[in-house]
Amino acid sequence: FGGSGTDKLNSIQQTTDGGYILGGYSESNDGDVGDNNGGDDYWIVKTDALGNLQWEQNFGGSSGELLKSLQQTNDGGYILGGWSYSNNGDVGGNNGSGDFWIVKTDASGNLLWEQNFGGSSNEEFESLQQTNDGGYILGGHTYSFNEDVGGNNGLFDFWIVKTDALGNLQWEQNFGGSSWEYLHSLQQTNDGGYILGGYSRSNDGDIGNNHGEWDFWIVKTDALGNLQWEQNFGGSSWDKLHSLQQTNDGGYILGGYS
């Protein structure tokens, strides 16, 4: 699926009807792509069970939007998450540079609402999940320390945002040290809290240790995002975590490269 420009897929899920929802971003305005607002737009494609296109939708403004994660929601619609540099078109606001941007659609991909979160510097979104209360948990990293971002430990921090079912901010938390932290994966855990995973170069602040260069770094929070514990794993060179999941025994499986 695509047009004459660049079209990049970042997330896919099988839907309740046996088909698939695909999400990424597109700079095209032809071929399979029905429209473009300028630069890269969020682009989603719904297929049947054999991969035939049923419908597609794009969302964005005159600058760039990069969709990183999507999920079918309990009502049969979809929640889309990524980051946006626009302040027009489908994008209701911008706090400065890149913001977290989430879009809620109905089952046919029509926009129901959208929300942006961030500060005056750059936010990069990586992961989302619908939570047990019908809201959403959003995760990525931030360079900001103002507007929606309550604090910063230095350079990029892990940043999580909890919203209600309409995308209104309920709380946010940041974690990190004086160097770089990049969050790439999160999940709500069986106890209602959250597990966050990514990688870190710090050896201070919220980080208990560093083995050298980049380490895998995981953070466990309670249901309000307060830190309960953290652990890092690695060797003297680069170790970068990109995915995690809670396992049946209550532990966690982490994957990346070293």
Side-chain angles (χ1 to χ4, degrees), residues 169-188:
L169 191 150
Q170 295 179 301
W171 53 258
E172 56 79 33
Q173 295 279 7
N174 70 293
F175 308 99
S178 58
S179 189
W180 305 89
E181 281 72 49
Y182 291 96
L183 187 155
H184 276 274
S185 187
L186 59 73
Q187 184 186 10
Q188 189 169 35

Side-chain angles (χ1 to χ4, degrees), residues 58-228:
N58 73 294
F59 308 99
S62 59
S63 192
E65 282 70 48
L66 306 179
L67 188 154
K68 296 301 296 281
S69 183
L70 60 73
Q71 183 185 2
Q72 189 172 33
T73 48
N74 297 338
D75 61 1
Y78 302 95
I79 187 75
L80 322 177
W83 70 86
S84 169
Y85 294 89
S86 300
N87 194 16
N88 55 17
D90 300 314
V91 187
N94 182 279
N95 294 289
S97 194
D99 276 1
F100 281 17
W101 189 45
I102 58 172
V103 173
K104 177 66 174 70
T105 79
D106 64 16
S108 298
N110 300 302
L111 192 151
L112 297 177
W113 53 257
E114 54 79 34
Q115 295 279 7
N116 71 293
F117 308 99
S120 58
S121 191
N122 204 39
E123 283 71 49
E124 296 182 358
F125 181 104
E126 294 291 341
S127 187
L128 62 72
Q129 184 184 8
Q130 189 168 35
T131 49
N132 296 337
D133 62 1
Y136 303 96
I137 187 74
L138 323 175
H141 28 275
T142 179
Y143 208 88
S144 301
F145 56 87
N146 54 15
E147 304 291 345
D148 299 317
V149 187
N152 185 284
N153 295 285
L155 304 178
F156 272 111
D157 276 1
F158 280 17
W159 191 42
I160 58 172
V161 173
K162 174 66 172 68
T163 80
D164 65 16
L166 295 177
N168 300 302
L169 191 150
Q170 295 179 301
W171 53 258
E172 56 79 33
Q173 295 279 7
N174 70 293
F175 308 99
S178 58
S179 189
W180 305 89
E181 281 72 49
Y182 291 96
L183 187 155
H184 276 274
S185 187
L186 59 73
Q187 184 186 10
Q188 189 169 35
T189 49
N190 296 338
D191 62 0
Y194 303 95
I195 188 76
L196 322 176
Y199 42 94
S200 167
R201 287 193 76 144
S202 299
N203 196 19
D204 55 10
D206 299 314
I207 296 100
N209 191 22
N210 181 277
H211 297 92
E213 298 291 345
W214 297 100
D215 278 359
F216 279 29
W217 190 43
I218 59 172
V219 172
K220 175 65 173 69
T221 80
D222 64 18
L224 295 177
N226 300 302
L227 191 150
Q228 295 179 302

Side-chain angles (χ1 to χ4, degrees), residues 1 14 17-20 46-54:
F1 305 102
Q14 188 169 31
D17 63 359
Y20 303 93
K46 174 66 173 68
T47 78
D48 63 18
L50 297 178
N52 301 302
L53 191 150
Q54 295 178 302

